[in-house]
Amino acid sequence: MPKHFFACDVTREKAQIVLSSEHRDTQWLPYQAAYESLRYDDDKTALWELDQRIRRRDLPGAP
């Protein structure tokens, strides 16, 4: 089953996140807690890579 990872910046806009009914549980977590909550290596890798890009400010539209 293909997986697609994405991220969006919700700190600059008054965004309301609406999830479909397929999502049963959501949480806002600090990085380490989010990383530790993940079961699969590809999910952990995607989160780690996003963290690295945020730290380098290597994202489209980053100031």
Side-chain angles (χ1 to χ4, degrees):
M1 174 185 308
K3 284 187 177 180
H4 302 279
F5 300 94
F6 66 94
C8 63
D9 181 357
V10 296
T11 61
R12 294 184 188 185
E13 300 175 23
K14 300 207 186 255
Q16 181 180 5
I17 299 172
V18 179
L19 301 175
S20 69
S21 62
E22 71 181 276
H23 299 91
R24 293 182 295 252
D25 187 26
T26 60
Q27 298 178 54
W28 289 107
L29 298 169
Y31 172 81
Q32 192 61 40
Y35 187 87
E36 290 170 3
S37 74
L38 297 172
R39 290 178 60 185
Y40 301 108
D41 288 340
D42 57 342
D43 296 332
K44 290 181 178 188
T45 298
L47 181 61
W48 180 85
E49 288 178 355
L50 174 61
D51 182 59
Q52 295 302 302
R53 292 187 69 185
I54 289 170
R55 290 173 186 272
R56 290 191 313 264
R57 297 181 189 262
D58 181 22
L59 296 168

